[in-house]
């Protein structure tokens, strides 16, 4: 059985605020923990009015304190935005508070537009080109401190927080393979390179102390409801959000609308076909077939399900249906 995990972007919906989004995140984490999902990850994004998880370690502390078993992690921390030592201290703190439950996914994208990226990185000397070296430096901080080591992560040293490499292109696949780390691919928003990235990762993988064989986790948007029609209606919030973001006007998560497909022009259809090609949308039977087909086509070792659904209770129900589609989860 392929394990299922959750990626939560802590969506801020129209008419609400970040505080409610983060309270909803904790409620959802408790819900999926009870359903048997393996991991609960949150992602670093900046200057986006519809995402509340910018201070990712802080948001994860909120979720970790309110849950007891599910693994808690970042999907991911955009490492070029940070000094590796600070991330080691932040996640070392989480790991000290919640032993055996904390992990860290690392990406090299800014998690924002370029103007915001410059504001975030104002005092940093490196950038995306420094990402491999920053990953290695961060991993070293989680190893036991050497005698007379000048700089240590406290907390962090010796905790060996598990590291994942995130990617939406071939770069992350190559780095994860070289370092012998598990690889999480962002097929929920950038599916075009999914298959070649997995092939490169698996072909070039070199075993490490953390991982003996390649392990791939794929992000996938799944919107499940009682019927196919209701799921398509709920999915329209995600479609609208993608179109707003890709046109340079990100917004809070909009309410769903009926018959969105009939209103789309060819440009919008092309955008959605590119971004959401892997999305699985429908009632219980449709979702079960979709998940089975996706696993069969990709050979994924694990799926990380995401669903920015406007109505929080409908969002929780969506994850229930997904869990029911995977007996033994």
């Amino acid at each position: 059985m392929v394990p299922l995990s959750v990626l939560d972007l802590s969506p801020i919906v129209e008419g609400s605020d970040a505080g409610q989004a983060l309270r909803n995140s904790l409620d959802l984490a408790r819900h999926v923990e009870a359903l048997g999902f393996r991991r609960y990850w949150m992602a670093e994004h900046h200057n986006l009015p519809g995402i509340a998880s910018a201070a990712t370690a802080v948001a994860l502390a909120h979720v970790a304190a309110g849950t007891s078993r599910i693994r808690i992690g970042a999907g991911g921390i955009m490492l070029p935005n940070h000094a590796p030592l600070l991330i080691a201290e932040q996640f070392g703190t989480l790991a000290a508070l919640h032993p055996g439950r904390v992990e860290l996914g690392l990406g090299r994208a800014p998690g924002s537009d370029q103007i915001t990226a410059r504001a975030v990185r104002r005092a940093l000397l490196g950038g995306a080109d420094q990402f491999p070296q920053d990953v290695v430096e961060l991993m070293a901080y989680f190893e036991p401190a050497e005698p007379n080591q000048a700089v240590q992560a406290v907390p962090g040293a010796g905790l060996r927080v598990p590291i994942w490499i995130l990617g939406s292109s071939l770069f992350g696949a190559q780095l994860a393979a070289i370092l012998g780390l598990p690889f999480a691919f962002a097929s929920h928003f950038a599916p075009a390179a999914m298959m070649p990235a997995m092939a490169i990762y698996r072909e070039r993988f070199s075993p490490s102390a953390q991982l003996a064989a390649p392990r791939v986790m794929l992000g996938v948007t799944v919107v499940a409801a009682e019927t196919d029609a209701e799921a398509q209606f709920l999915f329209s919030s995600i479609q609208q959000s993608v179109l707003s973001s890709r046109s340079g006007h990100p917004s809070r998560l909009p309410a769903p609308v009926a018959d969105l497909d009939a209103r789309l022009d060819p440009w919008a259809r092309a955008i959605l076909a590119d971004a959401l090609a892997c999305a699985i949308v429908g009632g219980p039977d449709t979702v079960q077939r979709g998940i089975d087909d996706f696993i069969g086509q990709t050979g994924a070792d694990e799926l990380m399900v995401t669903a920015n659904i406007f109505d929080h209770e409908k969002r929780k129900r969506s994850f229930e249906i997904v869990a029911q589609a995977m007996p033994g989860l």
Side-chain angles (χ1 to χ4, degrees), residues 229-306:
E230 183 187 2
Q232 287 291 340
F233 174 69
L234 298 177
F235 184 53
S236 68
S237 292
I238 297 172
Q239 293 173 301
Q240 294 175 79
S241 181
V242 168
L243 291 173
S244 296
S245 180
R246 296 288 175 101
S247 63
H249 303 286
S251 64
R252 295 187 176 188
L253 185 69
V257 296
D259 300 320
L260 178 65
D261 286 350
R263 312 179 197 181
L264 299 177
D265 59 28
W267 175 84
R269 291 179 187 278
I271 291 288
L272 295 177
D274 174 65
L276 299 173
C278 293
I280 299 168
V281 182
D285 292 342
T286 300
V287 164
Q288 184 167 21
R289 288 194 302 271
I291 292 174
D292 288 343
D293 289 347
F294 187 68
I295 293 170
Q297 291 167 10
T298 63
D301 300 301
E302 188 168 343
L303 298 185
M304 178 153 276
V305 177
T306 186

Side-chain angles (χ1 to χ4, degrees), residues 108 131 165-178 183 197 201:
R108 70 182 183 116
F131 180 63
I165 298 296
L166 312 185
S168 57
S169 67
L170 305 185
F171 182 92
Q174 295 176 75
L175 180 61
I178 290 169
F183 179 51
Y201 171 68

Side-chain angles (χ1 to χ4, degrees), residues 62-111:
H62 168 64
V63 170
T67 53
S68 59
R69 300 182 310 277
I70 195 166
R71 296 183 68 82
I72 301 296
I77 289 294
M78 303 298 106
L79 192 53
N81 293 343
H82 309 277
L85 175 62
L86 297 183
I87 297 303
E89 291 171 342
Q90 290 172 17
F91 281 80
T93 300
L94 288 171
L97 289 169
H98 307 283
R101 294 182 58 205
V102 174
E103 54 200 7
L104 176 54
L106 301 172
R108 70 182 183 116

Side-chain angles (χ1 to χ4, degrees), residues 171-193:
F171 182 92
Q174 295 176 75
L175 180 61
I178 290 169
L179 295 179
L181 297 176
F183 179 51
F185 188 84
S187 36
H188 59 293
F189 72 83

Side-chain angles (χ1 to χ4, degrees), residues 28-51:
L28 180 63
R30 289 170 170 161
H31 184 64
V32 298
E33 179 177 65
L35 291 171
F37 284 78
R38 175 173 291 188
R39 312 174 198 279
Y40 194 93
W41 282 9
M42 303 181 82
E44 177 187 352
H45 292 278
H46 300 283
N47 196 32
L48 292 178
I51 297 177

